[in-house]
Amino acid sequence: MSRVFDRHPWARWTLPGAAAAGLVAGGLLLPSTASADGLAPRTAEQLLTDVQQAHVAGLSGHVTETADLGLPSLPASMTGTDTSLTSLITGSHSARVWTSGTDKSRVAIEAQGQETDVVRNGTTVWQWSSANKSVSRTLVPAHSTTTHSTASALTPQQAAQQILAAVGPSTTVTTAANDVVANHPSYELVLTPKDSSSRIASVKIAIDGKTNVPLRVQVFSTTMSGPAVSIGFDRVDFTVPSASVFDFTPPAGSTVTTKDLTKATDKKPAGTSPTTQKPTIVGTGWTQIATGHIDLAAMEKQQASAGGSGTSITKLLGLLSTVRGSYGTAHVLNGTLVSMVITTDGRYAVGAVAPDKLLAALPAK
C-alpha cells in the first residue's frame, strides 16, 4: 500500500434547487466572455451542457483543498490524534487521486503525519486510517457510483457534479475570464444565487478546455473576499492508471470491519429509536432551510455505548455562542457558508443564511 499523500475532503456540497437543466429552460444563461488564451469562445449554455456530459476513461493527479467555514477552533485536549476524513474540513490539505472507469478510485490523504486511504475496486470499498490502525471494508452493489465515504467529494469533478445537480432557476449562470489550472487552459463557469440573502455569493467551476472535466471548484461567501472553499488540481494526467493502483491489502496488525451494502438493510433491534428525524425543508433555492429535532441525550448515550473516543456533542455545542428568545436557549454556529442553530432541547435549523433567519425557522416546542 502506498503512503497517503495529502489532501482533504470537504464536508458535503449541499446547495439547494431544481435540476441544472432548468437553468437552460429558464433563460438564465448570459453571454460568454471573450477568450484570452486561445480557447474558442463558448457560451455558458455550452459549458453547462459539456461539463455535465464530460467523461474520461481515467486520470491521476494531485489535489489541493482549502476551507474556511467559520468553524470554532477545538482545544488541543479535544483534537486528539485522529486524522479521519471528518477531521479535515478546515484549513488547507492535499491528496493524490486516481480514477479508472466508474468503479475504480483511490484517494490518498496525509495530515499531521498520519494518513487515510480510501480505495474502491469494483464492488469493494476500503478505508484505512493510520491513526488507529483501522480498516473498514464495505461491499457495494455492482452499479453503485458512490464510495460511501466523505472522500466521494474529494475531486473537483465530484464536487462540481453535486453542485450542478442541485442548482436550478434560482441561479444565474454566466462565464468569467478563462484561466489556466494545473497547466490546462480552462473555461470558468459562474453560478450566482439570485437571492442576496444567501451566504453563498457564487460558485466558480474551472473546466478543462479539451476534456470538459472540472479542474477546480471555488465557493465564495458573502462574508469574506477570498473563496471559503476551494478544491482543485495542481497536477492532472488523463492517462488511465495501472490496475495495481487500486489493489489494497490490509496492513499487518490492523483491525478490519466489514459492512455489506449489497443485502437488504438490517432491521433495528426491538426497543431502539432513531436519534434524529427526517428534516423538514423550509423555503426553496439557495436559501432553503432544513429543520428538525435531534435527541441529544440519545446521541450522547449512543456514543458512549459505542466506545467512541471523539469529542461529545455536549462539549462541541459548548464551544458555540448561545442566544435566548421565545425559542428558548440555542447554540449558534455563524459560518461563512452554512450556519446552524440548535436549541438545548434538540430543535435545529441549518442553511446557507444568517443565524437570525434560522432562529425564525426553528420548529415549535
Side-chain angles (χ1 to χ4, degrees), residues 83-154:
T83 55
S84 63
L85 295 176
T86 53
S87 71
L88 300 174
I89 57 173
T90 186
S92 180
H93 307 275
S94 59
R96 292 184 65 184
V97 298
W98 301 261
T99 64
S100 177
T102 59
D103 65 350
K104 296 182 187 297
S105 62
R106 182 169 191 152
V107 178
I109 309 161
E110 189 173 83
Q112 301 175 12
Q114 298 171 356
E115 61 182 64
T116 299
D117 271 14
V118 180
V119 184
R120 172 167 182 173
N121 194 341
T123 58
T124 303
V125 178
W126 297 94
Q127 180 169 319
W128 149 253
S129 172
S130 70
N132 52 14
K133 300 186 183 304
S134 66
V135 176
S136 66
R137 174 175 174 261
T138 304
L139 304 179
V140 299
H143 300 294
S144 173
T145 59
T146 178
T147 60
H148 296 277
S149 166
T150 49
S152 63
L154 279 183

Side-chain angles (χ1 to χ4, degrees), residues 30-280:
L30 304 185
S32 64
T33 56
S35 171
D37 53 12
L39 292 177
R42 293 164 76 181
T43 65
E45 179 178 357
Q46 290 171 325
L47 290 175
L48 186 64
T49 299
D50 290 344
V51 73
Q52 291 176 316
Q53 297 176 349
H55 173 76
V56 291
L59 63 79
S60 60
H62 185 273
V63 177
T64 295
E65 183 269 357
T66 59
D68 184 355
L69 304 178
L71 302 179
S73 297
L74 292 177
S77 60
M78 289 188 181
T79 58
T81 59
D82 186 13
T83 55
S84 63
L85 295 176
T86 53
S87 71
L88 300 174
I89 57 173
T90 186
S92 180
H93 307 275
S94 59
R96 292 184 65 184
V97 298
W98 301 261
T99 64
S100 177
T102 59
D103 65 350
K104 296 182 187 297
S105 62
R106 182 169 191 152
V107 178
I109 309 161
E110 189 173 83
Q112 301 175 12
Q114 298 171 356
E115 61 182 64
T116 299
D117 271 14
V118 180
V119 184
R120 172 167 182 173
N121 194 341
T123 58
T124 303
V125 178
W126 297 94
Q127 180 169 319
W128 149 253
S129 172
S130 70
N132 52 14
K133 300 186 183 304
S134 66
V135 176
S136 66
R137 174 175 174 261
T138 304
L139 304 179
V140 299
H143 300 294
S144 173
T145 59
T146 178
T147 60
H148 296 277
S149 166
T150 49
S152 63
L154 279 183
T155 66
Q157 306 102 291
Q158 292 161 327
Q161 287 172 3
Q162 292 182 34
I163 293 171
L164 291 173
V167 298
S170 60
T171 309
T172 297
V173 183
T174 59
T175 59
N178 298 334
D179 201 353
V180 177
V181 178
N183 205 32
H184 288 248
S186 305
Y187 297 97
E188 193 95 69
L189 190 66
V190 183
L191 314 175
T192 305
K194 286 188 166 184
D195 191 335
S196 61
S197 64
S198 172
R199 277 284 169 91
I200 299 172
S202 65
V203 177
K204 294 183 178 180
I205 303 175
I207 302 168
D208 180 40
K210 290 185 178 180
T211 65
N212 297 323
V213 170
L215 298 181
R216 183 182 65 204
V217 175
Q218 295 175 305
V219 184
F220 291 83
S221 166
T222 59
T223 66
M224 56 190 295
S225 56
V229 173
S230 177
I231 175 172
F233 282 107
D234 301 314
R235 301 186 301 275
V236 62
D237 182 347
F238 291 107
T239 303
V240 178
S242 168
S244 63
V245 170
F246 309 102
D247 293 334
F248 180 86
T249 301
S254 59
T255 302
V256 180
T257 58
T258 299
K259 184 176 183 180
D260 191 347
L261 299 181
T262 64
K263 299 178 181 179
T265 304
D266 295 333
K267 294 182 179 180
K268 292 187 176 182
T272 63
S273 61
T275 58
T276 61
Q277 301 174 355
K278 185 177 180 180
T280 298

